[in-house]
Amino acid sequence: MKKKLSMLVAGVLLLGTLTGCTKAETSDQNTDDPIKVALVGPMTGSAAQYGEQFKRGVELFVEEYNEKGGFEGREIEVTTFDDKNDAKEAATIANKIVAEGDYFTVIGPFSSTSGFAMAEILSEEGILHISPTVSHPEFVTEYDNTFRMYTVNSEEAKFAAKYLATDDEWGSKEIAAIYSNNDWGLSVDKAFEEAVAKEGASLVANESFIIGETKDFSSILTKIKDSGAKSIYFIGQYSEAGQVLLQIADMEWDVNVLISASAYKTEVLDIAGDAAKDARWAVTSKANSTSSTGELKEFEEKVQERYGVKVDDFLFYANNAMQVAFTALDNVKEFDMESIKNEILRIGTFQAVNGEFTINGERNIERPYFVATPDGPKSFKILE
């Protein structure tokens, strides 16, 4: 996997030449100018819903931070880049960010593939790089200035395996997986297969699909049904998750479906409708729960009023990324990336509107997992 990723990055770098590169240090910051943040994500294309949530999470943080006076009177200014969920485009954007030379931090991108393409470039220039969602283990082990707000993908896989194998209602020994055939999906699936075995269960079927291309899951689902699987762990995005649920309903097949956090979006319900009524999702926050109170409840209401949608984890992850970057800057009080990186690690545990999370010494995120179920057409209910 590491060799594959290195080859990918090397190939992407051949497409662009770094020019005008400078280290992101104190001297690059004019105290009369806004603090520049680059937000990178899929703003168009099949994954645009994720980029839109990133933008909302960053926007809400910036609004609140600037209203409080910013950093020593300087406000945050965000420039949004559309990487189209494409590694080549992400590398081009990273080169542009470096060439301009005055960005404090980069928030994004969405996918592991784009994340690696950017990290190779940004890390060499000492730019603080925080992805809300990249979960591949090597994203933080291979590059010095990278952080993430998403748990390493093996953690969700372990949680999913334990839940499907041991839950009082859903537990069984015959489990199947449907995974996206990309770096992220392959990595999650491998961890899930190992975790299922450790739980004393069997992965009786393990089928892949191609994000953005696979529309008909009938042959995959038929294989899984014939395997005798009692439950399925779906590792993919919201559009395919909705299609899988619809096609299972068309088969009149009673099977438990646990969907990865990557597809924890109300758009799944829009696609699947009543076919999603018995599905469940692995999640890392208690948003949209009937038990939401206090600051979380107020935040949910603000998002609903502002954007007309339920808050989801992807909005939170982007908001968390901004919180981490600017908490460290507020404490360090200078634009020295090594000091800011060390301050993030020193703080370790952050109190956020969506719950406490920890950035450990390996720069990995530790968050508790929960299970969500549909509870009405536009909300979710959290199972403790």
Side-chain angles (χ1 to χ4, degrees):
M1 180 68 70
K2 180 177 178 181
K3 181 178 180 181
K4 179 180 177 182
L5 292 168
S6 297
M7 291 175 65
L8 168 65
V9 171
V12 169
L13 290 176
L14 289 175
L15 299 171
T17 302
L18 292 176
T19 59
C21 304
T22 56
K23 297 289 183 182
E25 297 175 349
T26 307
S27 58
D28 295 324
Q29 296 289 335
N30 187 325
T31 57
D32 295 328
D33 294 336
I35 300 171
K36 293 182 65 175
V37 170
L39 170 62
V40 183
M43 303 301 165
T44 58
S46 61
Q49 290 286 352
Y50 297 100
E52 185 175 47
Q53 292 296 344
F54 283 7
K55 189 174 181 180
R56 290 167 177 169
V58 169
E59 182 177 82
L60 290 169
F61 178 89
V62 170
E63 180 180 283
E64 182 177 351
Y65 189 84
N66 285 347
E67 284 179 353
K68 292 179 179 178
F71 173 71
E72 298 181 347
R74 298 173 61 188
E75 295 189 342
I76 301 171
E77 179 182 274
V78 179
T79 301
T80 301
F81 297 91
D82 179 13
D83 74 344
K84 302 178 178 64
N85 207 28
D86 178 82
K88 294 178 182 178
E89 190 68 28
T92 298
I93 290 169
N95 285 330
K96 180 177 176 60
I97 290 168
V98 169
E100 292 186 14
D102 56 355
Y103 284 94
F104 162 54
T105 186
V106 175
I107 306 299
F110 167 65
S111 70
S112 293
T113 304
S114 290
F116 280 103
M118 295 196 75
E120 177 80 5
I121 299 164
L122 299 177
S123 186
E124 287 183 359
E125 297 306 309
I127 298 175
L128 181 65
H129 182 194
I130 308 178
S131 170
T133 51
V134 169
S135 62
H136 196 287
E138 293 180 15
F139 181 66
V140 295
T141 60
E142 291 297 300
Y143 305 105
D144 292 336
N145 297 308
T146 55
F147 290 86
R148 54 161 146 247
M149 296 296 101
Y150 205 78
T151 60
V152 63
N153 51 37
S154 59
E155 292 304 306
E156 181 183 314
K158 292 174 185 176
F159 171 82
K162 187 174 185 64
Y163 182 76
L164 292 176
T166 65
D167 179 70
D168 290 342
E169 183 181 353
W170 276 35
S172 73
K173 299 302 180 184
E174 298 83 25
I175 300 171
I178 302 175
Y179 64 95
S180 60
N181 191 12
N182 56 16
D183 290 326
W184 165 74
L186 288 163
S187 181
V188 177
D189 182 68
K190 179 181 178 182
F192 181 66
E193 185 173 11
E194 293 172 354
V196 166
K198 288 181 180 179
E199 295 295 339
S202 298
L203 194 63
V204 295
N206 196 19
E207 300 293 327
S208 68
F209 70 95
I210 301 175
I211 284 182
E213 294 185 23
T214 304
K215 307 296 182 184
D216 184 359
F217 288 84
S218 58
S219 61
I220 290 174
L221 294 173
T222 298
K223 288 180 183 178
I224 293 174
K225 186 176 182 180
D226 290 345
S227 74
K230 301 296 191 301
S231 58
I232 299 171
Y233 178 39
F234 177 81
I235 306 162
Q237 296 178 7
Y238 70 88
S239 57
E240 288 87 4
Q243 289 301 320
V244 165
L245 293 174
L246 279 175
Q247 291 171 40
I248 287 174
D250 288 342
M251 295 170 66
E252 298 183 348
W253 179 23
D254 184 18
V255 62
N256 297 325
V257 182
L258 178 68
I259 302 171
S260 61
S262 55
Y264 179 55
K265 297 182 69 63
T266 56
E267 286 81 4
V268 176
L269 306 183
D270 294 335
I271 296 167
D274 193 55
K277 64 183 176 64
D278 295 322
R280 296 182 181 179
W281 285 256
V283 298
T284 59
S285 76
K286 294 185 178 181
N288 305 316
S289 169
T290 54
S291 62
S292 295
T293 59
E295 186 181 9
L296 176 57
K297 185 70 172 178
E298 291 177 6
F299 192 84
E300 290 173 356
E301 291 172 350
K302 184 175 184 178
V303 170
Q304 181 69 56
E305 181 180 351
R306 175 76 62 85
Y307 304 110
V309 298
K310 293 285 184 181
V311 65
D312 69 21
D313 282 358
F314 302 94
L315 187 155
F316 281 132
Y317 297 146
N319 192 270
N320 294 163
M322 291 291 286
Q323 179 184 348
V324 167
F326 281 87
T327 298
L329 177 61
D330 287 339
N331 290 352
V332 172
K333 299 189 182 307
E334 62 176 337
F335 293 89
D336 178 76
M337 291 303 103
E338 191 65 22
S339 297
I340 288 171
K341 171 185 168 181
N342 291 336
E343 179 63 12
I344 291 172
L345 295 175
R346 186 196 68 79
I347 295 170
T349 298
F350 292 78
Q351 303 297 327
V353 66
N354 54 317
E356 179 180 287
F357 63 89
T358 297
I359 301 176
N360 63 30
E362 288 73 44
R363 284 179 280 138
N364 280 322
I365 285 283
E366 297 174 7
R367 297 181 188 265
Y369 272 94
F370 309 94
V371 171
T373 66
D375 184 25
K378 287 287 185 181
S379 62
F380 288 84
K381 179 180 180 181
I382 307 298
L383 299 180
E384 298 292 347

